[in-house]
Amino acid sequence: MTASDALCQQIEYKLTHDTIKEHDGSDSPAHRNMSSYIIGAKNTKRGLPLCHDWQRSLHVAITGATMNGPISHAWYGILKRTVTTQHKVLEIATCMVLDALIFSPVAVAAYFIWRSALEGKDFKRIANKLKEIHYSATLASWRFWPLANIVNFSVVPLEFRVLYNNLLSLFWSGYLSYINGKHLDELVETNK
């Protein structure tokens, strides 16, 4: 998850840096400091923007190690024990439906709750964040994971499903990290 966040931050920095530069045509120290501020870096060194938020990456790593990994591993075990049909297509379809209807909404909510708690948010702010972004993030999950799960449930042995999931999570976690960071930027803008 941390690798996906690092990649996401680099993309965010590049997009932000280019957008500001296109807007005002400058590459001044003030412009570089604004770029750093927008992506969350609070300090500059030798006038160059820092383009990595280490605290954010630490939060992503903690979330992956203490929440995403364990619940994904447990979920695949539950599916294997619960879905016992001998018909392979019915097994895959059932796993996909259960994954989409039960696991995805719970995992998406848990991700944002975990990250928000690590960011020091209180219950009200966590609830507001979930109200604003949970539905759209769950819909994105339903667009991203079905094809991946067809492969996962039909080809990948149980003992490798979490590993396969983690490889795909490189992209998915980057997206969630982006959404989480984007939400923070929007809150900063509306509170000015």
Side-chain angles (χ1 to χ4, degrees):
M1 289 184 75
T2 305
S4 64
D5 178 62
L7 179 61
C8 183
Q9 286 189 47
Q10 291 301 313
I11 292 168
E12 288 172 17
Y13 171 75
K14 177 76 171 125
L15 292 174
T16 303
H17 184 78
D18 289 350
T19 300
I20 291 172
K21 195 172 183 179
E22 287 173 12
H23 178 71
D24 67 7
S26 73
D27 195 26
S28 66
H31 162 253
R32 289 191 297 268
N33 287 337
M34 178 56 85
S35 297
S36 295
Y37 171 76
I38 287 173
I39 62 163
K42 295 177 177 66
N43 299 311
T44 58
K45 184 176 184 178
R46 293 188 219 145
L48 298 174
L50 297 175
C51 57
H52 192 83
D53 182 346
W54 291 102
Q55 185 174 8
R56 172 177 152 175
S57 289
L58 178 62
H59 291 171
V60 170
I62 291 169
T63 301
T66 61
M67 194 274 299
N68 287 80
I71 69 167
S72 293
H73 186 73
W75 175 246
Y76 289 127
I78 289 167
L79 281 179
K80 189 65 175 176
R81 289 188 304 277
T82 305
V83 181
T84 57
T85 182
Q86 297 301 313
H87 192 271
K88 193 66 173 170
V89 173
L90 182 58
E91 176 188 0
I92 293 166
T94 303
C95 286
M96 286 181 58
V97 168
L98 291 173
D99 192 75
L101 295 180
I102 298 171
F103 185 71
S104 286
V106 170
V108 167
Y111 177 87
F112 291 118
I113 290 168
W114 218 262
R115 287 287 308 277
S116 296
L118 290 169
E119 293 163 0
K121 297 205 176 15
D122 61 20
F123 178 77
K124 183 178 178 183
R125 290 174 70 195
I126 292 171
N128 286 338
K129 179 190 255 186
L130 284 177
K131 188 174 17 171
E132 291 178 26
I133 62 178
H134 182 260
Y135 180 72
S136 62
T138 300
L139 287 179
S141 172
W142 292 342
R143 287 189 290 269
F144 181 81
W145 287 108
L147 181 59
N149 283 335
I150 288 173
V151 173
N152 201 12
F153 297 132
S154 64
V155 178
V156 180
L158 177 62
E159 60 271 16
F160 297 116
R161 287 184 181 165
V162 172
L163 176 62
Y164 171 81
N165 187 331
N166 287 341
L167 291 172
L168 293 175
S169 288
L170 179 66
F171 304 103
W172 177 246
S173 297
Y175 173 75
L176 290 179
S177 182
Y178 167 74
I179 293 298
N180 191 68
K182 180 179 176 191
H183 178 73
L184 292 174
D185 289 344
E186 289 170 359
L187 285 178
V188 167
E189 288 300 315
T190 58
N191 290 327
K192 283 186 177 178

